[in-house]
Amino acid sequence: MANSYIQLHFVALFFLASLTIPSNCLPGLYPKAPVALFVFGDSLFDPGNNDFIKTTTTFQANFPPYGETFFKLPTGRFTDGRIIPDFIAEFAKLSLIPPYLQTGYHEFLTNGVNFASAGAGALAETNTGLVIDLKMQFKNFRKAKKHLRLNIGKRTARRVVKNAVYLFGIGSNDYLSPLTNNSSIFKLYAPQDYVAMVVGNITSVVQKIHREGGRKFGILNLGPLGCLPRLRAANVAAGGNGECVEQVTALAKLHNVLLSQKLQLLQKRLKDFKYSYFDVFTASIATIQNPSKFGFKEVKSACCGSGPFRGYFSCGGKRGMKEYELCDNPKDYLFFDAIHRTEAANLQSAEAMWGGPPNITGPYNLQSLFLL
């Protein structure tokens, strides 16, 4: 009887002691949940959402040779293999983040989901009716959040939303679409005013996600848009020698300066707001100026396409032009088609975003955001 009393006494003491031990001292009892990744953007980030909407082949990549390098079949990604969010998910030890429109109600979405849509812009007027613009992507995020609450409960869903990283890559189409569609939009607005609208829409959605509970954001700026093979080909058509189109790159520069300023302001104004700003512009210029340093042999022409610099958007023969050329080794190329990068280039960007120095990826890199 005495032994039974002593055993009960020790059990009671252990139980009371365990109440005072921090949960991080009991890893087996309270395992750390993975940090989810929610993705917003355009074709640089779209894993196939546009396969599920009514659009045109201009905004789809669900045909060969897209996907040939890694997946061995087209997946809707505008490259030969994986896109940047695929690599970020891998580095974070997450499974591939699925397209939002492909997910079913049986999925808890606790690892995150991808809302990006090829051709999308920060402005609803950009390729309207053919893509899922940024504001609609935010609405889909709210639906996903509701789905999370229904499946895992309010408290756990709130924790997932707060701990998640929100990755943004959007804005290029807001500048490229008016040019390729001969829009008069740039005659109606001064460049600074137009850029302010684009950046304002991006930061508005960032603030809305913060109000929904999000705290950690990864933001890409814009690369030198005038150096895309499509723009080099346009330069040739206008009588040039295929130089970068500086007027277009100038818009990207304005965008990047304002976006950086706005994010710094948000950091001061929003509670617990933390962000990683990846300077893809500077990284791209370095690659274009010194290709061999980064393992590339060709940084002007695309791997897949036709015309000067393979800059006609004909890759796959499904966009009005059936004939196109395809390189033997996409790894040698910075660009896979007239606009989009190869898997090799996406990997380099993802590595810089994940663990790059503050002058390229700051004030945090993505790895540090996932660890916070």
Side-chain angles (χ1 to χ4, degrees), residues 64-84:
Y66 292 103
E68 65 169 18
T69 298
F70 181 78
F71 298 100
K72 308 303 179 186
L73 78 170
T75 63
R77 292 166 170 83
F78 279 78
T79 185
D80 59 298
R82 288 163 288 184
I83 52 177
I84 290 172

Side-chain angles (χ1 to χ4, degrees), residues 46 50 55-61 78 118-120 127 130-131 313 319:
D46 185 358
N50 279 14
T55 186
T56 70
T57 52
T58 298
F59 305 109
Q60 291 177 322
F78 279 78
N127 298 320
L130 297 169
V131 300
F313 196 41
R319 302 186 180 107

Side-chain angles (χ1 to χ4, degrees), residues 171-185:
S172 296
N173 292 305
D174 295 300
Y175 305 106
L176 293 176
S177 179
L179 292 171
T180 56
N181 294 324
N182 295 317
S183 170
S184 61
I185 192 78

